[in-house]
Amino acid sequence: MKSEIYETMLSEYDLSTEQKKRNALFEVNQQVILAGLYNGGFFKVAAFYGGTCLRIFHGIQRFSEDMDFSLLKPDEHFDFTKYFQPIIDEFAIIGRQVDIKKKEKKNFGKVESAFLKDNTDVYDISFQTDKSVKIKIEVDTQPPLKFRTEQKLLLLPHSFMTRCFILPDLFAGKMHALVYRTWKNRVKGRDWYDFEWYVRHHIALDFTHLSERVIQFNQEEISKDAFVDQLKERLSTANINQVKSDVLPFIKNPSDLDIWSNNYFVQLADLIKFE
């Protein structure tokens, strides 16, 4: 029974290539982590956001590796280590062993730390049987506020609820990352893919929460017009081939990117609807 649940979860994916198998392993393990966090009561004080949330709960057709969480209110004494055991227990039920470690800031590379605040705690969950799979968890203990949440259901490894940012606030977080992420020569094409998804699905952008993120991360106030100008500058000047190459390993249909160009994304920016 133990490994049956895990195998059932994996069986829902296309495992025909090593990259597809790796993507599937990440996602199945992410869902087990969420189940453990639910069992530990984590979602009474925190919410899930970011690209992995968008993938698991809204079906975007790209895989995601990291898991991002925000406390519902600032707590400088928050201790994520008390949720280690519920995660470990959840994996033990399906016959898997995991190791969870807090990552020290001094061990971050420049790229990795470029978009992390000092009060974001980072943890790595690694799997003894899959050495190549390491899931990074970020918990913002002093989060920008003015976001809204909802409870989303998953049925495996058992039925449970995850508190998630609602879509307009997920969109706000993504647009903040796309415009302000300091990746230098490493453009994160996954941000661009998500941006296209939000516009295509007519998701309104919560500018109130976006403004809070810009104030806290970047110490500036910004108008909608100024934000759109900065967005278009980023979209029109990025190396579109780097953008494509970053996202390709994580998507099901490479042909989705055929239309991608700087001009295409600039035109998408004109279609953003603000709340």
Side-chain angles (χ1 to χ4, degrees):
M1 177 66 185
K2 292 177 182 177
S3 61
E4 276 181 29
I5 297 172
Y6 193 75
E7 292 305 319
T8 297
M9 293 173 76
L10 270 179
S11 70
E12 296 180 6
Y13 297 87
D14 176 0
L15 307 175
S16 60
T17 68
E18 283 305 309
Q19 182 66 50
K20 288 177 180 177
K21 183 177 180 183
R22 185 173 184 273
N23 289 340
L25 284 171
F26 266 89
E27 189 158 308
V28 167
N29 288 322
Q30 287 161 350
Q31 292 180 48
V32 178
I33 290 167
L34 291 173
L37 290 172
Y38 167 81
N39 290 343
F42 179 68
F43 295 115
K44 294 175 184 173
V45 298
F48 190 27
Y49 75 101
T52 306
C53 180
L54 191 63
R55 164 67 191 163
I56 291 175
F57 291 103
H58 298 285
I60 189 170
Q61 295 297 296
R62 79 149 179 101
F63 288 89
S64 184
E65 295 178 324
D66 303 337
M67 304 180 78
D68 301 304
F69 299 95
S70 168
L71 295 188
L72 302 180
K73 59 183 180 181
D75 180 1
E76 62 185 47
H77 302 297
F78 177 75
D79 180 13
F80 187 68
T81 60
K82 68 181 181 181
Y83 301 101
F84 283 12
Q85 198 59 49
I87 294 172
I88 292 167
D89 291 345
E90 191 67 47
F91 277 102
I93 290 170
I94 58 171
R96 308 268 292 165
Q97 286 186 297
V98 296
D99 185 37
I100 311 175
K101 288 193 174 114
K102 183 170 183 177
K103 199 162 181 184
E104 297 304 322
K105 294 278 167 49
K106 65 177 184 286
N107 295 327
F108 290 169
K110 281 186 180 176
V111 170
E112 185 178 9
S113 62
F115 201 64
L116 280 182
K117 296 186 304 181
D118 289 340
N119 41 28
T120 298
D121 291 334
V122 182
Y123 304 84
D124 282 334
I125 299 184
S126 52
F127 302 83
Q128 296 179 3
T129 49
D130 297 302
K131 298 297 184 187
S132 66
V133 178
K134 183 183 286 184
I135 295 173
K136 185 170 72 174
I137 291 178
E138 296 179 13
V139 183
D140 191 341
T141 59
Q142 299 287 320
L145 300 177
K146 298 185 181 176
F147 59 81
R148 294 155 293 170
T149 66
E150 59 184 344
Q151 297 286 345
K152 302 291 286 183
L153 173 67
L154 282 179
L155 299 178
L156 289 172
H158 55 77
S159 295
F160 67 96
M161 292 286 189
T162 299
R163 184 193 293 271
C164 302
F165 278 36
I166 66 168
L167 280 167
D169 294 315
L170 284 170
F171 193 8
K174 179 54 61 175
M175 296 313 292
H176 177 248
L178 198 160
V179 172
Y180 290 93
R181 204 192 293 269
T182 51
W183 287 96
K184 298 182 178 163
N185 295 324
R186 281 188 55 183
V187 182
K188 194 151 188 182
R190 285 160 273 184
D191 291 343
W192 296 52
Y193 189 93
D194 295 0
F195 165 47
E196 179 191 46
W197 185 92
Y198 284 113
V199 175
R200 177 177 287 133
H201 288 81
H202 308 290
I203 308 301
L205 172 59
D206 181 358
F207 193 75
T208 300
H209 179 57
L210 175 61
S211 299
E212 285 294 300
R213 298 189 80 82
V214 175
I215 288 169
Q216 192 182 113
F217 277 87
N218 312 101
Q219 292 78 51
E220 64 180 84
E221 295 191 14
I222 192 168
S223 67
K224 289 179 185 175
D225 287 344
F227 172 75
V228 171
D229 286 345
Q230 287 192 38
L231 172 62
K232 286 184 175 180
E233 172 69 16
R234 175 64 66 102
L235 296 173
S236 63
T237 58
N239 182 324
I240 200 69
N241 291 323
Q242 285 185 358
V243 172
K244 288 183 180 182
S245 64
D246 174 77
V247 76
L248 267 175
F250 300 98
I251 62 172
K252 292 185 175 181
N253 302 307
S255 62
D256 289 349
L257 311 188
D258 289 350
I259 194 173
W260 280 25
S261 68
N262 296 94
N263 180 54
Y264 172 68
F265 281 99
V266 169
Q267 291 199 37
L268 285 181
D270 287 324
L271 299 176
I272 294 174
K273 295 181 175 70
F274 290 97
E275 275 197 335

